Amino acid sequence: MPLATFELPSSLGPVEATPLTPKAFTQFGGVISSIHQLQTMKSSPANYGTATKISKVSPIINNFQNAPSQKPCTANFNLFRSTYPINLIQRKGVREGVYLSGVLERHPFSTQTFLPMGVPADEVAYLVIVAETSSNDLPDLTTLKAFVAKGNQAVTYNPATWHAPMVSLKEVIDFAVLIHENGVADEDCQEVYINPRVPITFISASSSTVTAML
């Protein structure tokens, strides 16, 4: 059951998705993006000179010691197979689109990291949609932000960060997902609904990829 259902404020227009970068996403969590972190973070040689290591590129946080149930959690790698949400995307052209976002969720006591698998590094792969928390502990829809992620980027949501469920801009993307869970529904995940849905505008994949999905 959702914590609340929001009526979309009339003053809230379309939210434009911008490129995902570690700097732009700092407030909401972390981004693993080698093209950025090789330039901005300290690195060291590894594996006898055949690799470059950059440490602590994204947070891993477990706050389940603060959960009301005090039920122990485990660190889990889950697999999500995400498909293109054709019924929620309106095309504005060959590459432009609008995603209609109607759900936000959060994981109150754990980070959640999505690592895409098998997606070409330089292609647009998925949308990341987030919002700040208001004084009533629910999302502040006026702070909604959206980002376009490429296939070589992973995203981490901080504990209690409101975000949309994964939005694949490919026909299918498999994600390895790292999260702490204890099996108590309201402590693992909380949701709110938005009605009507928020339009998120974005520039998507190549024209051949989009055409194949229509």
Side-chain angles (χ1 to χ4, degrees):
M1 180 178 295
L3 296 180
T5 298
F6 287 90
E7 183 175 340
L8 185 66
S10 58
S11 60
L12 184 62
V15 176
E16 181 181 357
T18 59
L20 182 67
T21 67
K23 183 177 181 180
F25 201 69
T26 299
Q27 177 183 358
F28 302 102
V31 175
I32 303 174
S33 181
S34 59
I35 193 171
H36 294 96
Q37 285 149 339
L38 284 169
Q39 297 176 3
T40 61
M41 296 183 69
K42 183 179 179 180
S43 63
S44 60
N47 296 347
Y48 303 96
T50 63
T52 299
K53 179 181 178 180
I54 306 172
S55 299
K56 300 179 181 179
V57 292
S58 199
I60 302 175
I61 301 171
N62 173 15
N63 288 336
F64 268 96
Q65 72 274 11
N66 301 323
S69 74
Q70 291 294 290
K71 183 178 178 180
C73 69
T74 57
N76 300 324
F77 252 125
N78 302 321
L79 177 65
F80 279 65
R81 173 160 288 185
S82 297
T83 58
Y84 183 81
I86 192 167
N87 294 331
L88 296 177
I89 289 184
Q90 302 171 346
R91 303 309 312 183
K92 295 178 64 178
V94 175
R95 298 180 66 233
E96 297 181 34
V98 179
Y99 172 70
L100 302 177
S101 182
V103 179
L104 294 176
E105 66 180 38
R106 68 176 178 184
H107 310 284
F109 303 107
S110 176
T111 48
Q112 184 185 40
T113 299
F114 282 82
L115 300 102
M117 298 187 295
V119 182
D122 60 346
E123 292 188 8
V124 167
Y126 59 99
L127 290 178
V128 175
I129 303 165
V130 289
E132 297 176 19
T133 301
S134 66
S135 58
N136 62 2
D137 205 33
L138 295 173
D140 180 352
L141 296 185
T142 65
T143 67
L144 273 172
K145 293 185 178 180
F147 303 90
V148 177
K150 291 191 173 183
N152 61 350
Q153 293 181 307
V155 64
T156 298
Y157 300 107
N158 275 338
T161 294
W162 291 104
H163 62 277
M166 183 52 65
V167 182
S168 171
L169 296 180
K170 297 290 190 181
E171 187 172 3
V172 178
I173 302 179
D174 287 337
F175 290 91
V177 180
L178 177 62
I179 190 172
H180 297 86
E181 297 168 307
N182 72 351
V184 178
D186 286 345
E187 294 179 356
D188 284 339
C189 185
Q190 300 171 344
E191 291 184 338
V192 298
Y193 296 164
I194 307 168
N195 186 29
R197 294 172 178 266
V198 182
I200 309 292
T201 64
F202 62 91
I203 302 297
S204 67
S206 65
S207 58
S208 59
T209 303
V210 172
T211 301
M213 293 186 294
L214 295 179

